[in-house]
Amino acid sequence: MKIGIIGAGNIGGNLTRRLTTLGHDVSVANSRGPETLTALTAETGATAVTVQEAARGAEVVVVTIPLKNVPDLPAGLFDGAADGFAVLDTGNYYPRERDGRIDAIEDGGLTESRWTELQIGHPVVKAFNGTYAQDILDRPLPAGDPERLALPVAGDDAAAKEKVRLLIDELGFDTVDAGGIDDSWRQQPGTPVYGLREGVDSVKKALDEASPERTEAFRG
Ligand SMILES: NC(=O)c1ccc[n+]([C@@H]2O[C@H](COP(=O)([O-])OP(=O)(O)OC[C@H]3O[C@@H](n4cnc5c(N)ncnc54)[C@H](OP(=O)(O)O)[C@@H]3O)[C@@H](O)[C@H]2O)c1
């Protein structure tokens, strides 16, 4: 499958590593340009591209950059993507350490991924936001393994969500349907499922136990 990855840091880099290992055709972009990605492309066989080129022909486009930088993404970001492409959003809002205060999230009642959708002009599927980047490399397990970790996946577009869930299964993790993007506060930072390394039943329980109120550490 052709996959575009916007962001080549902890998460984007490790997704590039795993997806190329699985045989996918990965294009990867960062903010500084393809010439700064030679180490990653030499290691993985992925193609370094500009942000504007990342989605071309892609069935899945991963947006994995700091939330505060999402509004900087260019118009026409998804021009040339494959029909029915899915956008996978791994983002989190860290108002204190990184992103600064975003009023529309704090006061406007928007989930972090709904806010991201408004910036990029396309529905997203939220996944991997509570996953340690290193686990993408270290913790994949075959389907049916009792130790296999599960990830919550939220999104409004059923077909896009299914596409992402199948890809995550291929990457070595179970998934739990965490509802739509308006429900995705259940997996945001500070919730019980955030950073949880457990299987399907525990992930479902943690999603059920979440509170919609942002915890103090994640308020701006
Ligand atoms: N780290 C984790 O374990 C983890 C886990 C789950 C979710 N997340 C979330 O996933 C997202 C990515 O986290 P990360 O830890 O992978 O970030 P990171 O290591 O800081 O890497 C960020 C990447 O985004 C790129 N970038 C920044 N602004 C950009 C722009 N305007 N256009 C294109 N690329 C841009 C950076 O490129 P340059 O270096 O060229 O600027 C860099 O490659 C964040 O929202 C984070 O909260 C992280």
Side-chain angles (χ1 to χ4, degrees):
M1 187 193 291
K2 189 154 178 9
I3 298 170
I5 302 185
I6 299 169
N10 299 301
I11 293 278
N14 284 351
L15 283 176
T16 300
R17 291 180 178 91
R18 277 290 291 152
L19 289 166
T20 49
T21 299
L22 292 167
H24 292 288
D25 176 2
V26 176
S27 293
V28 59
N30 65 2
S31 78
R32 287 165 295 150
E35 65 282 1
T36 65
L37 288 169
T38 48
L40 183 62
T41 56
E43 177 193 341
T44 62
T47 306
V49 294
T50 63
V51 176
Q52 285 85 354
E53 294 164 333
R56 288 200 192 145
E59 285 183 50
V60 174
V61 182
V62 184
V63 176
T64 183
I65 70 173
L67 207 78
K68 69 174 168 44
N69 297 356
V70 169
D72 301 337
L73 291 171
L77 186 64
F78 303 117
D79 289 356
D83 286 348
F85 70 100
V87 177
L88 166 54
D89 166 29
T90 78
N92 292 306
Y93 171 50
Y94 293 133
R96 298 194 179 182
E97 292 142 36
R98 188 188 63 198
D99 297 320
R101 191 175 206 278
I102 298 177
D103 292 343
I105 293 174
E106 301 250 3
D107 308 326
L110 293 181
T111 60
E112 296 167 17
S113 283
R114 185 69 78 199
W115 179 84
T116 292
E117 287 186 342
L118 292 172
Q119 311 308 309
I120 64 175
H122 197 277
V124 301
V125 177
K126 186 182 192 74
F128 285 110
N129 73 292
T131 307
Y132 297 94
Q134 193 60 31
D135 286 359
I136 293 170
L137 298 184
D138 293 350
R139 298 200 176 215
L141 286 170
D145 190 301
E147 299 296 316
R148 202 184 207 214
L149 302 182
L151 314 185
V153 181
D156 297 328
D157 177 335
K161 182 154 61 173
E162 184 60 15
K163 198 181 286 243
V164 169
R165 292 183 74 179
L166 288 170
L167 192 62
I168 294 173
D169 180 54
E170 207 188 325
L171 283 163
F173 301 91
D174 286 333
T175 59
V176 171
D177 188 341
I181 291 300
D182 285 339
D183 306 311
S184 64
W185 51 266
R186 291 184 182 277
Q187 66 191 73
Q188 289 181 171
T191 60
V193 84
Y194 187 74
L196 186 72
R197 287 166 156 150
E198 297 285 349
V200 167
D201 290 347
S202 298
V203 165
K204 284 182 179 166
K205 183 164 178 282
L207 288 167
D208 284 347
E209 288 171 357
S211 159
E213 200 178 327
R214 301 190 72 81
T215 57
E216 183 64 24
F218 293 103
R219 275 193 225 133

